[in-house]
Amino acid sequence: MKQYQNYIDGQWMASNSNEMTAVLNPATEEKIAEVTSSNNEDVDKAVQAAKKAFPDWNKMGVESRLEFLEKLYDIIVENKQLIADTIVNELGASQSFSESGHVPLSINEMRTMLDDIRDYPFEEKVDTALIQKEGFGVVACITPWNYPFNQIQRKITPALIAGNTVVVKPANDTPHSAILYAQFVEKAGLPAGVFNVVTGSGSTVGDYLAGHEDVSVISFTGSTEVGRGLYNKASDTIKKLVLELGGKSAMIGLPGADKYNTVKQSADTVLNNSGQTCAALTRLIIPEDEKSDYLDIIKEYYEENANVGDPTSSDTKVGPMVSEKQKETVMEYIQKGKDEGAKIFIGGNEIEGKGYFVEPTVFIDVDNKMTIAQEEIFGPVLSVITYKTVDEAIEIANDSPYGLSGAVTGPNEEEALEVAKQIRSGNVYVNQGPRSPRVPFGGYKQSGLGREVGIYGVEDYLEIKSIMLPE
Ligand code: NAP
Ligand code: MG
């Protein structure tokens, strides 16, 4: 079995903790690798390496940095099958979603950013002043397990383009993708210290890294609860924060909307990746008097598309949950839904045997005040909520502490757009409009701060200096 060390200052380094953490395959419960359980000393080394590498990396200019990142991009493309397989093994995403979702997302977002940034004004004039945009310093990138490769890509590509150096602390459940990233960085020949990976637990090394006095930016994706703690941590040395947190997004089918596509759009987000997607459309909000037609379509859609099982099989849409703990969390939410009076329409049970599998579940008769409609479940669970007027539908959609995504479908695109404009969230889809890799992603309210992806994603990693020059 493979054992992996930290990647610090361009080298693979053992920790003096002498402890390892097992990486499990959530479909088989087999141990597939071991990574270092790091301690604060490892974090110190990584931050110091990044701090030391920063001045040269920042000063060399974007053209030179892009040369390194182009090499890294080529290596990622060459290794796309390895990345897809690694994601299946450590996360349990279905092979088809890993290959058609996870990996192309990373490649397309990185490609677009490398192309678009060439025209970006890193220096510009405002009256007689020169405005210079440059890196902050060391960025702590703390990433979750649900899109283990792309959550790293979304942070390190813009942070490095902007002139920062990075220390990545990946999720303990899926560190293998981060190790791959470090191997690719090493192959691409990035200068030592520009990119570092320290594996270990969030509550110990993640917490220490985020509070480190030599870290200038905390870029975090994960739960709102941990994000709130990091917000406080940032205050000591006034760190910049980029937070991509949870969501409880609404899919509104307006009266007369295309029901099949409405169901498909929301159901796919709770079936792919086993529903472990922050932007999943977990609340399906439909007209009361169209409910029975919707239920027929939901039933049929799930019969044909909700196959649970071995993620490597081509028939599988829904793999296991990432961990036993996540499976328990999902089962607790399902129980809470039943206890609070929602009705199970499909599924609702755990699946016994090896692997952390849960039945794809649809609740009906859900009131938006219920826990299952307010809190992020992060599992294959859909809540169907009905409304009488469009104003009520908008009110329900916005009655959430979150504001990450949303969708509206309707027979009249203009009307759907008017509704989309009233949704308080960072992303809204109208009639299945596509998303390009250029479009900013991020949340309103407790879904986060800042934006990732595209030029907006780079700007969050840029400091702005005004240099006043004589006339
Ligand atoms: P999490 O606890 O917020 O973990 C995300 C990352 O933060 C992991 O690397 C984690 O390390 C680290 N971390 C945990 N506690 C920390 C602390 N005190 N200081 C610094 N870093 C810390 O999320 P999770 O446990 O993976 O999942 C729980 C919930 O988070 C999910 O159910 C979902 O609601 C939400 N979530 C949202 C997204 C999103 O994209 N918005 C992604 C994933 C999860 P460890 O792995 O060692 O815990
Ligand atoms: Mg956690």
Side-chain angles (χ1 to χ4, degrees), residues 8 84 111 118 181 237 251 260 286 319 334 366 372 378 384 399 434 437-438 446 453 462:
I8 298 174
R111 181 68 266 146
R118 290 180 192 276
Y181 227 112
T237 59
M251 164 100 229
Y260 177 82
I286 54 163
I334 291 175
V366 177
I372 54 166
F378 241 53
V384 181
D399 175 18
R438 215 162 252 125
Q446 293 181 37
V453 188
L462 286 169

Side-chain angles (χ1 to χ4, degrees), residues 145 173 202 223 226 325:
W145 40 262
D173 287 322
S223 61
V226 172
K325 179 175 148 239

Side-chain angles (χ1 to χ4, degrees), residues 142-146 151 169-173 200-203 206-207 220-223 226 230 244-246 278 325-326 376-378:
I142 301 177
T143 56
W145 40 262
N146 63 335
Q151 305 284 20
K169 203 304 278 177
N172 233 347
D173 287 322
S201 122
S203 53
D207 181 78
F220 170 78
T221 301
S223 61
V226 172
L230 297 180
E244 294 295 344
L245 308 176
C278 48
K325 179 175 148 239
Q326 191 60 22
E376 189 177 41
I377 300 174
F378 241 53

Side-chain angles (χ1 to χ4, degrees), residues 184-385:
F184 300 157
V185 162
E186 185 182 31
K187 240 192 193 164
L190 266 68
V194 164
F195 174 101
N196 307 275
V197 171
V198 177
T199 52
S201 122
S203 53
T204 57
V205 292
D207 181 78
Y208 181 67
L209 171 65
H212 202 292
E213 63 173 356
D214 288 325
V215 164
S216 302
V217 181
I218 303 173
S219 181
F220 170 78
T221 301
S223 61
T224 296
E225 189 190 346
V226 172
R228 200 171 280 122
L230 297 180
Y231 200 105
N232 292 327
K233 283 246 147 194
S235 68
D236 281 352
T237 59
I238 316 295
K239 298 182 203 309
K240 165 99 186 215
L241 277 169
V242 181
L243 300 176
E244 294 295 344
L245 308 176
K248 192 72 202 178
S249 302
M251 164 100 229
I252 299 179
L254 292 174
D258 176 335
K259 295 185 184 61
Y260 177 82
N261 280 317
T262 304
V263 167
K264 176 177 166 44
Q265 189 176 5
S266 57
D268 281 351
T269 65
V270 292
L271 295 172
N272 287 328
N273 226 38
S274 307
Q276 301 167 129
T277 297
C278 48
L281 302 164
T282 51
R283 293 182 295 150
L284 175 58
I285 302 175
I286 54 163
E288 174 73 45
D289 57 7
E290 297 180 22
K291 179 177 160 188
S292 94
D293 288 347
Y294 265 106
L295 295 191
D296 290 345
I297 292 169
I298 292 171
K299 189 143 223 129
E300 208 173 308
Y301 193 78
Y302 272 67
E303 272 164 15
E304 284 168 18
N305 296 286
N307 294 343
V308 189
D310 173 3
T312 61
S313 152
S314 59
D315 298 336
T316 296
K317 175 112 165 168
V318 186
M321 309 313 301
V322 69
S323 63
E324 187 168 18
K325 179 175 148 239
Q326 191 60 22
K327 174 175 172 170
E328 276 167 17
T329 303
V330 173
M331 290 315 303
E332 278 165 23
Y333 273 116
I334 291 175
Q335 188 56 47
K336 223 172 248 175
K338 294 176 186 169
D339 293 346
E340 291 181 12
K343 205 166 122 201
I344 293 275
F345 180 60
I346 292 172
N349 303 301
E350 68 178 301
I351 297 175
E352 305 284 348
K354 279 273 179 232
Y356 312 124
F357 294 93
V358 173
E359 275 183 357
T361 299
V362 179
F363 277 107
I364 55 174
D365 298 345
V366 177
D367 182 297
N368 197 56
K369 298 286 178 217
M370 290 176 181
T371 307
I372 54 166
Q374 286 293 316
E375 294 183 13
E376 189 177 41
I377 300 174
F378 241 53
V381 183
L382 181 67
S383 291
V384 181
I385 302 171

Side-chain angles (χ1 to χ4, degrees), residues 10-324:
Q11 290 173 40
W12 296 94
M13 260 188 220
S15 168
N16 66 9
S17 78
N18 291 322
E19 284 168 30
M20 303 299 281
T21 304
V23 185
L24 301 182
N25 177 326
T28 62
E29 302 183 30
E30 278 163 10
K31 192 158 136 178
I32 49 176
E34 280 187 340
V35 296
T36 304
S37 309
S38 306
N39 57 26
N40 292 357
E41 229 174 89
D42 302 310
V43 173
D44 282 332
K45 281 185 196 156
V47 173
Q48 287 322 308
K51 187 183 174 185
K52 191 173 80 195
F54 171 68
D56 284 348
W57 180 254
N58 187 44
K59 206 170 61 191
M60 74 168 63
V62 68
E63 289 293 326
S64 306
R65 291 194 293 269
L66 284 174
E67 279 177 33
F68 286 108
L69 294 171
E70 287 290 354
K71 282 186 206 148
L72 178 60
Y73 171 82
D74 289 343
I75 293 166
I76 289 173
V77 172
E78 279 162 28
N79 285 282
K80 62 183 183 192
Q81 193 59 50
L82 174 63
I83 301 169
D85 295 345
T86 301
I87 293 169
V88 173
N89 285 335
E90 69 174 353
L91 172 65
S94 71
Q95 189 80 38
S96 64
F97 188 62
S98 188
E99 288 174 11
S100 68
H102 286 259
V103 177
L105 199 63
S106 287
I107 290 175
N108 296 338
E109 287 182 3
M110 186 172 181
R111 181 68 266 146
T112 307
M113 195 175 270
L114 297 184
D115 288 341
D116 289 0
I117 205 65
R118 290 180 192 276
D119 299 324
Y120 186 77
F122 281 87
E123 287 190 355
E124 60 188 343
K125 291 294 287 275
V126 173
D127 295 333
T128 62
L130 175 69
I131 310 301
Q132 185 196 2
K133 300 170 205 171
E134 61 170 344
F136 279 83
V138 180
V139 181
C141 302
I142 301 177
T143 56
W145 40 262
N146 63 335
Y147 289 81
F149 195 84
N150 199 45
Q151 305 284 20
I152 297 175
Q153 187 285 128
R154 275 191 180 177
K155 297 185 185 313
I156 74 124
T157 310
L160 296 181
I161 284 175
N164 304 277
T165 54
V166 301
V167 178
V168 177
K169 203 304 278 177
N172 233 347
D173 287 322
T174 57
H176 206 166
S177 296
I179 298 293
L180 273 188
Y181 227 112
Q183 291 170 342
F184 300 157
V185 162
E186 185 182 31
K187 240 192 193 164
L190 266 68
V194 164
F195 174 101
N196 307 275
V197 171
V198 177
T199 52
S201 122
S203 53
T204 57
V205 292
D207 181 78
Y208 181 67
L209 171 65
H212 202 292
E213 63 173 356
D214 288 325
V215 164
S216 302
V217 181
I218 303 173
S219 181
F220 170 78
T221 301
S223 61
T224 296
E225 189 190 346
V226 172
R228 200 171 280 122
L230 297 180
Y231 200 105
N232 292 327
K233 283 246 147 194
S235 68
D236 281 352
T237 59
I238 316 295
K239 298 182 203 309
K240 165 99 186 215
L241 277 169
V242 181
L243 300 176
E244 294 295 344
L245 308 176
K248 192 72 202 178
S249 302
M251 164 100 229
I252 299 179
L254 292 174
D258 176 335
K259 295 185 184 61
Y260 177 82
N261 280 317
T262 304
V263 167
K264 176 177 166 44
Q265 189 176 5
S266 57
D268 281 351
T269 65
V270 292
L271 295 172
N272 287 328
N273 226 38
S274 307
Q276 301 167 129
T277 297
C278 48
L281 302 164
T282 51
R283 293 182 295 150
L284 175 58
I285 302 175
I286 54 163
E288 174 73 45
D289 57 7
E290 297 180 22
K291 179 177 160 188
S292 94
D293 288 347
Y294 265 106
L295 295 191
D296 290 345
I297 292 169
I298 292 171
K299 189 143 223 129
E300 208 173 308
Y301 193 78
Y302 272 67
E303 272 164 15
E304 284 168 18
N305 296 286
N307 294 343
V308 189
D310 173 3
T312 61
S313 152
S314 59
D315 298 336
T316 296
K317 175 112 165 168
V318 186
M321 309 313 301
V322 69
S323 63
E324 187 168 18

